[in-house]
Amino acid sequence: MKRKVIAAIAIFMLPLSAQAATTYTLPIKSITPGAIDPAVTQSNIASTICVVGYTKTVRPPATYTNSLKYAQLRGSYSRYGSTDNSLFEEDHLIPLALGGAPRDPKNLWPEPWTSARKKDTLELKMHLMVCAGSITLAKARAIFATDRKSVV
C-alpha cells in the first residue's frame, strides 16, 4: 500500500505544463478569500480527509451550490460575462480534500470548467502529499489561499 501511495505522489509531483500554469482563473480575493473547516486539523487528518470517501460526507448538495453559483454569476462574478451555469463549477477555493469549509460562501466561487479541471490535478497532488506526511495541511491549504500559479 505504501508503495502505491509513493508511486501516486511521484506521478503528481511532475510539473504541470507551462500553459496550465498560465490559464488558471483565480477567484476575486475580497469575495472568496477561502475558509477552512475547523473540524479538520493536522492532528486528525488520518480520521478525516485521509479516509477514502471523506469528501462525499461533507460535500454540500448541488441544490445549494447551484443556487449560490447562479447568484454569484449574476452579481459579484459577473466579470465572466456569462450567466450560463453549465460553463462553471461551483468550486471550493480550499479543497474539501484539504479540509476546506464545505458551505461557507467565502470558500465557494464559480470557476470555469477548463480551469477547474486543472485545479483538480493540483488538489489531488496536495491531498496525497498531506496524507503521506510530505507537506503539512497548513502549507497545502496556503497554496490554494494564495496564487497557486506559483507552485505549478
Side-chain angles (χ1 to χ4, degrees):
M1 179 64 178
K2 192 171 186 175
R3 281 188 190 161
K4 287 181 183 179
V5 171
I6 291 170
I9 290 171
I11 290 169
F12 287 100
M13 289 299 294
L14 297 173
L16 299 176
S17 71
Q19 180 183 5
T22 60
T23 58
Y24 282 119
T25 303
L26 297 172
I28 300 169
K29 189 79 166 164
S30 62
I31 299 167
T32 312
I36 60 170
D37 181 348
V40 178
T41 64
Q42 184 69 47
S43 64
N44 72 7
I45 60 172
S47 62
T48 56
I49 64 168
C50 296
V51 173
V52 174
Y54 168 79
T55 60
K56 289 179 185 177
T57 68
V58 297
R59 185 173 309 283
T63 52
Y64 174 78
T65 56
N66 285 339
S67 175
L68 182 58
K69 177 172 52 171
Y70 180 84
Q72 289 171 329
L73 287 171
R74 281 148 190 79
S76 56
Y77 279 93
S78 62
R79 71 179 183 173
Y80 293 130
S82 175
T83 57
D84 183 350
N85 277 10
S86 68
L87 299 176
F88 303 91
E89 171 184 356
E90 189 67 10
D91 204 4
H92 292 87
L93 179 61
I94 309 296
L96 296 178
L98 296 174
R103 289 178 160 261
D104 190 330
K106 291 179 182 176
N107 198 41
L108 286 156
W109 63 294
E111 182 175 20
W113 280 106
T114 53
S115 177
R117 291 299 141 245
K118 292 170 187 160
K119 180 176 173 272
D120 289 346
T121 300
L122 182 60
E123 289 177 13
L124 179 57
K125 176 179 170 178
M126 293 295 106
H127 177 257
L128 291 171
M129 291 176 71
V130 166
C131 292
S134 59
I135 188 173
T136 66
L137 181 60
K139 182 156 176 90
R141 287 173 171 169
I143 288 167
F144 290 94
T146 60
D147 182 355
R148 64 185 178 268
K149 289 181 193 178
S150 63
V151 297
V152 293

